Amino acid sequence: MRQFSGKTVYKGIALGPVRVLKNQDSPIRRKKISDAEAEICRVTGAKRQAKEKLQTLYDRALKEVGKVGAAIFEAHQMILEDEDYLGSICNMIQTEMVNAEYAVAVTGDNFFAMFDAMEDGYMKARAADVRDISNRLIRILEGQKDDEPFSEAPAILVADDFTPSAMIQMDRKKVLALVTVRGSANSHTAILARMMNIPALVRVPLNLEEIPDGVQMIVDGFMGSIWVEPDEETCLRAENRMKEERERARLLEQFKGKETATVDGRKIRLYANISNVTEIGHVLENDAEGIGLFRSEYLYLGRKDFPGEEEQFQTYRQAAQTMGGKKVIIRTLDVGADKQVDYFDIGKEANPAMGYRGIRICLKEQKMFRTQLRALFRAAVFGNISVMYPMITSVEEVQEIFRVIKDVQEELERDETPYRYPEQGIMIETPAAVMISDELARLVDFFSIGTNDLTQYTLAVDRQNGRLDAFYNPRHKAIFKMIRMTVENGHRHGKWVGICGELGSDPELTETFIRMGVDELSVPPSMVLKIRKKVREIKDV
Ligand code: PEP
Ligand code: MG
């Protein structure tokens, strides 16, 4: 039995078999070989295995999602037969006497760049296919399991790190816990783990090569520890703790259906954060009174092209209808920084957190922004949708947003498309927005304070950088002063003010926020009942 410590992302306990996911982005080593024929044979063997796997995936997809959805696997099989692609790999092995993995990786990169540079949208989209196929071949050549990572029995997933797009592809039911060697407790990956209710630890100093797939592991988010191959006594202790946790959750059930109000009757709006409509079940199950932050960007991640108006409309309408008249606050696209989309070429930035992201992209890429606004305004007919905008730093940005909105409304009226004008809010997540919140409050209907970014920008600490976790202190005095200032300025103009950043779900701070006058808290679904319990204990406000 070995014990390791890490940084807790979500407090929960899990016990089960490990599944190690090797980092696909790890650099492929160039090795000199002496037998080119044998190396080419390895490529041919890997190609055969990849084709068989793709056929299985094609058959399964055909049954589950139909011909159009399955076509991707057909396209991949065709790339595997492409003479230029294979010729380039074999040629490199022969002329440079290098290992197959390296030849596949370099050829994959070259073909990716070639397709990606093409004007034609269809050909451009093939770039990602070539990369997928090359990665599949490399996985086979390296002897890694080539199955889909989340299609097996429930397991504790261990990896160097997970990207937000890998997270959204996970089947929650199959993930007992997450453990990463790198990563940060404040990243979007960590936020997703909390929202999905998955016990998780980051920055656990594991050597992934030494952890065989299938060994037992305990992940204890309360203690910030994991045990590899735990002994019987440790397993028993973990099982008892799991039982206690289930009991604690059961006791919280009594707060379902109760009002979120202090002892003296001051009501607080208690909403939940989501990134995907599939999480709405969780929102309702935990009796949240609405959705305070729907991170719409997750609709744009892990795919090959932008979601169109119709697809977005369906998603937002589904959210509004499922919530049955309760408020659903949808934040417009907030990509950039750690949330990267391949089809959207942001390019390498020295400081991505302070770079091209959020509303800056939307106001530049107005066609894409208008598509989202059209979908949102149309969906608003079907429920209680509000819209809010991320990363605001100036009055001019908000004025520009309203100019775009006006155009969109005129357009919808021209084509006689039914729509409703939703409540309009902004996120307060930059120090600039706090300092001009008096002016901003005149323009919008509400503020939602994003303490995650506000902490990052106020304290000059990159929230993605795990080495700085000790400096990332959302409880810093400066943050509390900023929250107070934002609330006062919002209220001066009769606007409500909420918190949707992670700090809002800290039960130790619920009373502080309520005494500051905060009107709404939007928290991970799993925290709703805990916060309601807290609010109901507060007196004399
Ligand atoms: C925030 O910054 O606090 C926030 C809620 O937005 P995100 O975490 O998605 O950046
Ligand atoms: Mg933010």
Side-chain angles (χ1 to χ4, degrees):
M1 173 172 89
R2 284 170 298 158
Q3 183 183 355
F4 299 87
S5 296
K7 182 121 184 108
T8 296
V9 163
Y10 182 71
K11 289 180 180 168
I13 308 179
L15 164 64
V18 164
R19 179 90 207 277
V20 180
L21 301 178
K22 297 269 163 58
N23 185 2
Q24 289 171 14
D25 293 332
S26 63
I28 305 295
R29 288 221 186 89
R30 184 183 211 270
K31 289 189 203 143
K32 267 278 174 228
I33 48 125
S34 53
D35 186 349
E37 270 319 289
E39 212 58 17
I40 288 172
C41 255
R42 289 183 63 221
V43 175
T44 320
K47 177 189 140 188
R48 195 184 53 247
Q49 277 189 50
K51 276 200 78 176
E52 282 166 13
K53 179 72 195 177
L54 286 166
Q55 188 58 45
T56 317
L57 290 174
Y58 176 83
D59 294 341
R60 193 166 83 199
L62 196 61
K63 260 195 241 135
E64 288 173 9
V65 292
K67 206 164 169 44
V68 177
I72 173 84
F73 300 114
E74 209 169 30
H76 283 196
Q77 282 176 311
M78 275 158 64
I79 295 171
L80 269 179
E81 290 300 342
D82 185 276
E83 281 179 15
D84 289 337
Y85 176 70
L86 278 175
S88 168
I89 295 171
C90 296
N91 186 41
M92 193 167 180
I93 292 174
Q94 276 166 330
T95 54
E96 297 185 30
M97 296 302 279
V98 287
N99 54 322
E101 291 86 341
Y102 183 76
V104 173
V106 172
T107 304
D109 284 350
N110 291 343
F111 274 63
F112 177 89
M114 181 178 77
F115 281 119
D116 196 46
M118 290 182 181
E119 287 291 318
D120 181 281
Y122 176 81
M123 296 310 281
K124 222 176 165 56
R126 301 284 72 77
D129 291 338
V130 178
R131 179 158 282 170
D132 258 16
I133 271 296
S134 302
N135 285 341
R136 187 177 290 282
L137 282 176
I138 292 168
R139 285 201 299 275
I140 298 173
L141 285 165
E142 286 185 333
Q144 294 180 34
K145 279 201 184 163
D146 194 40
D147 340 67
E148 304 311 296
F150 311 115
S151 60
E152 300 194 335
I156 294 172
L157 300 186
V158 179
D160 193 42
D161 200 1
F162 295 105
T163 60
S165 45
M167 289 287 295
I168 50 159
Q169 290 172 52
M170 288 182 187
D171 177 350
R172 167 68 190 96
K173 292 192 277 306
K174 306 228 170 98
V175 185
L176 299 175
L178 293 174
V179 176
T180 67
V181 178
R182 293 188 298 128
S184 149
N186 311 302
S187 66
H188 283 98
T189 301
I191 290 173
L192 283 173
R194 285 194 280 270
M195 293 211 297
M196 293 159 99
N197 230 358
I198 303 176
L201 288 187
V202 294
R203 302 190 72 74
V204 181
L206 289 173
N207 179 352
L208 297 186
E209 300 300 327
E210 287 175 3
I211 313 272
D213 261 345
V215 294
Q216 287 295 107
M217 184 182 272
I218 293 172
V219 177
D220 186 335
F222 292 93
M223 290 180 64
S225 288
I226 68 160
W227 288 264
V228 182
E229 298 183 285
D231 58 26
E232 223 170 286
E233 196 190 322
T234 315
C235 282
L236 207 67
R237 238 190 353 250
E239 275 160 8
N240 284 337
R241 294 285 312 281
M242 281 156 81
K243 228 186 273 166
E244 276 168 32
E245 277 312 302
R246 278 196 295 271
E247 179 56 16
R248 207 166 293 171
R250 200 187 60 75
L251 286 175
L252 281 174
E253 296 272 308
Q254 60 174 299
F255 292 97
K256 283 188 182 171
K258 299 254 166 78
E259 219 179 35
T260 311
T262 62
V263 174
D264 320 297
R266 189 174 142 214
K267 283 197 194 134
I268 302 297
R269 305 177 189 198
L270 183 54
Y271 297 162
N273 296 346
I274 62 163
S275 54
N276 189 312
V277 274
T278 57
E279 291 159 27
I280 294 180
H282 226 68
V283 173
L284 296 172
E285 189 186 311
N286 286 285
D287 196 35
E289 294 148 28
I291 292 170
L293 168 63
F294 181 164
R295 289 180 164 97
S296 73
E297 55 273 14
Y298 285 94
L299 257 174
Y300 294 67
L301 301 188
R303 52 189 293 152
K304 296 202 165 68
D305 209 347
F306 298 102
E309 179 180 327
E310 206 48 37
E311 181 183 341
Q312 292 194 56
F313 163 68
Q314 300 287 356
T315 305
Y316 305 145
R317 182 179 66 174
Q318 192 188 342
Q321 285 178 329
T322 318
M323 288 302 290
K326 289 180 177 164
K327 201 184 271 298
V328 179
I329 304 177
I330 302 177
R331 173 174 78 186
T332 56
L333 178 69
D334 186 18
V335 283
D338 59 326
K339 288 177 284 194
Q340 291 289 339
V341 275
D342 287 344
Y343 52 84
F344 195 68
D345 194 14
I346 292 176
K348 267 251 169 299
E349 294 180 302
N351 283 307
M354 293 201 274
Y356 192 45
R357 59 170 295 194
I359 201 67
R360 297 170 187 174
I361 294 181
C362 290
L363 290 177
K364 189 91 203 304
E365 304 285 334
Q366 289 204 3
K367 188 162 174 286
M368 179 192 71
F369 189 36
R370 279 162 205 260
T371 301
Q372 183 169 33
L373 289 173
R374 279 181 64 100
L376 286 165
F377 282 37
R378 285 174 56 200
V381 172
F382 298 88
N384 188 1
I385 286 182
S386 303
V387 179
M388 73 175 170
Y389 306 92
M391 287 294 296
I392 299 295
T393 58
S394 72
V395 164
E396 290 72 25
E397 278 163 349
V398 179
Q399 287 167 337
E400 178 65 10
I401 291 170
F402 282 113
R403 270 194 289 276
V404 179
I405 288 176
K406 191 159 167 286
D407 273 3
V408 167
Q409 273 183 285
E410 282 169 7
E411 207 176 81
L412 288 165
E413 263 155 40
R414 253 198 323 272
D415 17 287
E416 295 181 12
T417 308
Y419 78 95
R420 191 177 64 76
Y421 184 80
E423 187 186 35
Q424 302 285 331
I426 53 171
M427 292 198 60
I428 301 289
E429 51 183 349
T430 65
V434 174
M435 299 313 287
I436 58 167
S437 51
D438 191 29
E439 284 175 74
L440 292 172
R442 294 171 210 267
L443 304 176
V444 296
D445 300 320
F446 68 93
F447 287 157
S448 187
I449 305 174
T451 50
N452 310 335
D453 276 317
L454 189 57
T455 305
Q456 145 163 284
Y457 297 125
T458 305
L459 305 184
V461 175
D462 179 358
R463 65 193 267 199
Q464 287 302 117
N465 186 343
R467 277 162 78 189
L468 301 178
D469 275 0
F471 297 96
Y472 184 94
N473 174 19
R475 291 176 169 215
H476 194 290
K477 236 194 258 170
I479 305 296
F480 288 117
K481 279 192 169 182
M482 285 183 162
I483 295 174
R484 187 184 294 280
M485 184 174 184
T486 305
V487 173
E488 282 170 4
N489 283 332
H491 287 181
R492 185 168 304 136
H493 297 282
K495 308 298 161 71
W496 66 265
V497 183
I499 300 178
C500 64
E502 297 289 291
L503 198 66
S505 60
D506 184 341
E508 287 179 19
L509 298 176
T510 308
E511 181 161 356
T512 308
F513 293 143
I514 288 178
R515 292 196 186 280
M516 280 182 184
V518 170
D519 304 287
E520 176 241 25
L521 293 171
S522 191
V523 303
S526 59
M527 290 302 293
V528 168
L529 295 175
K530 263 184 223 163
I531 300 291
R532 180 170 297 154
K533 176 173 182 288
K534 263 281 168 259
V535 172
R536 291 173 62 87
E537 288 163 4
I538 299 169
K539 284 195 210 132
D540 305 324
V541 273

